């Protein structure tokens, strides 16, 4: 299955479940295509998850496995899990044998485990792209058999074989680092003023109730007028919040279910408040603005807190725990607004952690496997 040339010609990319897994997967696929337009790329995802629509929208074929995650509460699906896992392993084995890839790349998510397990069992060169500072149990198990582990954080030799680790970073959206849009243009897009500080609140596409509650309290107390806010509240919360936050009375608040122009939002912001998913953290490093991270407590292995702490320990961000958000978030925003030295130091340090060539480096390292 060794490649005849430097570039990959047949590859399976597996994983998904969230945008944080899907976007890197698509970015890697696009990089492979850019190098070899004739490359054959097949995605393997989980039936019912968002990759089953997002991947075809990006122009790639995908096959679904009936894999599911373990639920913390007692549910019928937990009893089905062993059977679904067995079916997924058998289906993944069939897919790998039929497609006959040169290499298989797993980006995390439910489908990645069975696909990489079968690829290594069949002797196909395999890569794990580990996005978090604290890997999940599946990737730790897979690391024993795969050929390469591309990481976004240092120090993962605690979990993976050192000789297999390559520090590459996480793929991010290309237009974020181009600097193509000025701050003035960005503020105009959101109809905001140039003479006020702008705070960007990012709760993700689904929203973060804790961040929304803290922002709502701020508007109710009438303290929001001094600054201006781009507030991504999430589609589940938008209708309810729209009735509570009058744009006429709060013209300095732009309440949005989803931000389509993230390049403009990042450019407009003086301070960014965000969850600490792996992709978000990688983008924030590239943007280089003062950041307050509020890790979600509702993720496996509490990996968002560990992602956030990797920046805090580098003096590159402030972290506010989810449970302290109502009392500490706005206090820390005001600290950053009033302490120029602190803001500048955080900006400089977070920018030093950026890895803008992550996608290219991941594909380079994957191609190197085929040359051995």
């Amino acid at each position: 299955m060794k490649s005849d040339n430097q570039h990959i010609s047949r590859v399976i990319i597996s994983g998904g479940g969230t945008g944080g897994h899907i976007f890197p997967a698509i970015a890697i696929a696009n990089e492979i295509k850019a190098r070899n337009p004739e490359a054959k790329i097949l995605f393997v995802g989980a039936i019912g998850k968002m990759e089953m629509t997002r991947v075809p929208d990006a122009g790639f074929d995908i096959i679904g496995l009936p894999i599911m995650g373990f639920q913390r509460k007692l549910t019928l699906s937990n009893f089905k899990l062993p059977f679904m896992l067995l079916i997924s392993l058998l289906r993944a084995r069939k897919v790998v044998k039929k497609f006959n890839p040169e290499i298989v790349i797993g980006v995390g998510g439910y489908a990645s485990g069975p696909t990489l397990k079968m690829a290594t069992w069949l002797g196909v060169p395999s890569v794990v792209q580990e996005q978090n500072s604290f890997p999940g149990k599946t990737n730790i198990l897979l690391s024993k058999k795969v050929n390469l582990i591309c990481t976004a954080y240092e120090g993962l030799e605690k979990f993976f074989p050192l000789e297999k680790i390559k520090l590459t970073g996480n793929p991010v959206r290309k237009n974020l680092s181009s600097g193509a849009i000025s701050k003035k243009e960005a503020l105009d897009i959101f109809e905001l003023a140039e003479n006020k500080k702008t705070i960007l609140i990012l709760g993700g596409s689904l929203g973060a109730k804790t961040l929304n509650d803290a922002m709502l309290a701020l508007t109710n107390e009438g303290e929001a007028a001094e600054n201006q806010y781009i507030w991504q509240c999430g589609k589940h919360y938008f209708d309810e919040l729209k009735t509570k936050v009058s744009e006429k009375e709060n013209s300095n608040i732009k309440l949005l279910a989803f931000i389509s122009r993230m390049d403009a939002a990042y450019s407009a912001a003086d301070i960014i408040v965000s969850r600490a998913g792996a992709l978000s953290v990688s983008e924030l490093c590239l943007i280089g603005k003062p950041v307050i991270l509020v890790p979600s407590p509702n993720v496996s292995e509490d990996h968002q807190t560990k992602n956030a702490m990797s920046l805090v320990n580098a003096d590159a961000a402030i972290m506010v725990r989810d449970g302290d958000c109502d009392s500490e978030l706005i206090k820390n925003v005001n600290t950053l607004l009033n302490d120029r030295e602190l803001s500048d130091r955080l900006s400089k340090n977070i920018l030093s952690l950026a890895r803008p060539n992550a996608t290219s480096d991941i594909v380079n390292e994957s191609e190197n496997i085929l040359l051995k």
Side-chain angles (χ1 to χ4, degrees), residues 191 196 225 241-255:
E191 299 178 326
K196 287 187 174 184
L241 289 171
K242 185 76 171 175
T243 62
K244 296 179 179 179
V245 181
S246 168
E247 286 193 2
K248 186 174 181 180
E249 295 176 7
N250 297 282
S251 59
N252 57 324
I253 296 176
K254 297 303 169 184
L255 180 70

Side-chain angles (χ1 to χ4, degrees), residues 8 11 60 85 106 138 141 161 182-183 196 202 209 218 226 236 239 242 257 264 267 279 285 288-289 294 328-329 356:
I8 295 168
V11 58
F60 297 101
L85 177 58
T138 300
L141 290 171
S182 69
K183 184 169 184 177
K196 287 187 174 184
L202 298 172
K209 187 176 187 303
L218 182 71
E226 294 180 14
H236 294 317
D239 289 339
K242 185 76 171 175
S267 181
L279 182 59
C285 289
K289 300 283 180 80
V294 185
E328 296 296 321
L329 180 59

